[in-house]
Amino acid sequence: MIISFNKGIEFVLHRTLARKISTYTITTNVALCIMHTQINTSKNPGQEIYYHKNLKKRENFFCFLSFLSIFASVIIHKLRMSKERIIEGAKELFRLSGLKSTTMDDIAKHIGMSKRTIYENFKDKEEILVACLDQVYWENRRFSEKVFAESDNVIEATVILLRKGAEQARKQRYMIIEDIKKYYPEVYQNILLSQQDDKQKEMEALVEQGMKEGVFREDLNPEIIAYFFAQQAEGIAINDQKLDGYSLLEVFKNMVLSFIRGICTPKGLKIINQLTK
C-alpha cells in the first residue's frame, strides 16, 4: 500500500505540476489517489461501497482536504525548487562550457543533485535547454516591462536595455545561439527564432516611439536599427577575447553609445549626454 501510495502521489503531482493545474485540483487528485489506493489494497470487497458512502459524511472531510492542500503545496514547492536548481545550474554550465560539452553528469555534479532526480524532472538535456530559454525569455520580458514603466524617456529605456543585453553577452564564453543552431536545430527553429522575433519587434517599437518623441531621427528604418541594436550585444560576445582587457563600461560606451548617438536628434543628444555624465 505504501509503495502504491507513493507512486500514485508522485504521478499525480508531476503531471499536475507540468500542466500548471491549480492547487485545488491537485488536492482533489491526491485525495482520489489516496481513496483509490486504500480501496484497491483492501481485502474486503464491500469496503469500497462503505468507504465512498461514509467518507463524505464525516465532518472532518474538508479538514482532510485542507491538510492535503497544504501537503500538496509543500511538495509542489519542493518540486519547483528542484527544477529551478537544475535550470540555474544548467544555465551556468551552458554559458561557461557550451552546450555540447555539458553533460547531465556535469549538471548533477555542479548542483549537488543525483542524476536520477534530474531525470525525474527533465527527459533529457534538450528539455533542460528549452526550460532555460523559457526562463531567460520571461526574465527579460519582465525586466523590459519594468524599464518601460519606470523610464522617463525612450533614450533612457534604450540605454538600460542595451546595457543589460551587453552584460548578458559578456558573461558568455561560448556562443550559445550558434550551439543551439548546430546541435538543436528544432529548438532553434521553433523556439529561439520566435523569441528573437519578439525581441526585434520590441526594439522596433522602441525606435518608433523615439522617432515620435523627436529624440531619434525621422529618416531611420526601425527594423534595420532594431537589428543593429541586437548586433551590438552579439558583437560584444563574439569579440569577447579581444576585448578582455577592457571593462564592460568602456566597451559599451564605444560600441553601443556611439551607435545610439548616431541615430539621435539634437534633442536626443542632450538627453543622452545627461544620462552618461
Side-chain angles (χ1 to χ4, degrees):
M1 172 179 172
I2 295 176
I3 296 174
S4 177
F5 171 75
N6 287 341
K7 286 185 177 179
I9 293 294
E10 183 180 354
F11 172 78
V12 168
L13 291 177
H14 275 288
R15 288 296 296 271
T16 50
L17 177 63
R19 296 162 73 178
K20 299 180 180 179
I21 299 174
S22 68
T23 303
Y24 174 80
T25 304
I26 295 173
T27 300
T28 305
N29 286 337
V30 172
L32 290 173
C33 177
I34 293 174
M35 290 165 61
H36 180 72
T37 301
Q38 293 188 0
I39 292 166
N40 285 345
T41 54
S42 172
K43 295 180 180 180
N44 183 357
Q47 186 172 350
E48 179 176 353
I49 298 173
Y50 174 83
Y51 195 85
H52 280 290
K53 282 184 177 180
N54 289 278
L55 182 60
K56 293 181 180 179
K57 293 181 181 179
R58 293 177 185 174
E59 292 181 357
N60 66 345
F61 177 66
F62 287 103
C63 293
F64 173 66
L65 285 181
S66 178
F67 163 75
L68 281 178
S69 179
I70 297 171
F71 172 74
S73 297
V74 170
I75 294 183
I76 291 166
H77 176 71
K78 185 176 179 181
L79 290 171
R80 282 178 176 156
M81 289 297 291
S82 295
K83 279 182 174 288
E84 288 174 8
R85 277 182 61 199
I86 295 167
I87 292 170
E88 289 300 325
K91 279 165 54 181
E92 290 178 12
L93 291 179
F94 291 159
R95 257 195 322 259
L96 297 174
S97 306
L99 290 177
K100 185 179 181 181
S101 300
T102 301
T103 65
M104 297 294 265
D105 286 315
D106 293 332
I107 296 172
K109 184 177 180 180
H110 183 65
I111 63 177
M113 183 182 289
S114 70
K115 196 161 68 168
R116 177 183 175 181
T117 303
I118 293 177
Y119 277 114
E120 286 175 353
N121 286 276
F122 297 98
K123 182 177 67 176
D124 51 28
K125 189 168 74 172
E126 181 173 330
E127 195 169 274
I128 296 177
L129 170 62
V130 171
C132 290
L133 292 174
D134 187 62
Q135 187 192 72
V136 170
Y137 172 79
W138 286 108
E139 283 178 354
N140 289 337
R141 187 75 177 266
R142 287 189 291 270
F143 179 79
S144 297
E145 291 172 355
K146 184 174 183 292
V147 169
F148 293 147
E150 297 178 357
S151 298
D152 294 330
N153 53 69
V154 168
I155 289 185
E156 182 181 357
T158 302
V159 170
I160 293 173
L161 291 175
L162 291 179
R163 183 182 292 145
K164 174 77 170 178
E167 289 171 355
Q168 290 178 334
R170 199 72 191 274
K171 288 178 182 178
Q172 293 178 195
R173 291 187 186 174
Y174 293 88
M175 286 304 297
I176 300 296
I177 294 175
E178 290 303 314
D179 270 6
I180 296 173
K181 188 175 182 179
K182 184 175 181 179
Y183 301 112
Y184 300 94
E186 289 187 4
V187 174
Y188 178 78
Q189 288 291 333
N190 299 329
I191 297 175
L192 195 58
L193 286 182
S194 176
Q195 292 181 356
Q196 289 179 333
D197 187 54
D198 286 347
K199 186 66 176 178
Q200 170 80 14
K201 290 177 181 177
E202 177 184 283
M203 295 308 296
E204 284 180 28
L206 203 63
V207 175
E208 289 171 354
Q209 184 62 33
M211 293 167 68
K212 289 178 182 178
E213 293 180 6
V215 295
F216 290 155
R217 298 190 341 242
E218 292 183 354
D219 61 336
L220 300 176
N221 183 317
E223 185 177 352
I224 295 175
I225 298 299
Y227 173 77
F228 274 100
F229 275 151
Q231 294 305 305
Q232 295 292 315
E234 188 173 329
I236 291 175
I238 292 173
N239 298 303
D240 186 66
Q241 292 181 347
K242 295 180 181 179
L243 300 174
D244 272 346
Y246 303 97
S247 68
L248 176 62
L249 179 60
E250 190 169 1
V251 175
F252 185 79
K253 285 171 63 177
N254 282 273
M255 289 182 65
V256 182
L257 290 185
S258 295
F259 181 79
I260 296 176
R261 290 178 188 277
I263 66 173
C264 280
T265 62
K267 178 182 177 181
L269 286 172
K270 185 176 180 180
I271 295 172
I272 200 169
N273 287 336
Q274 292 174 342
L275 289 171
T276 57
K277 280 182 179 180

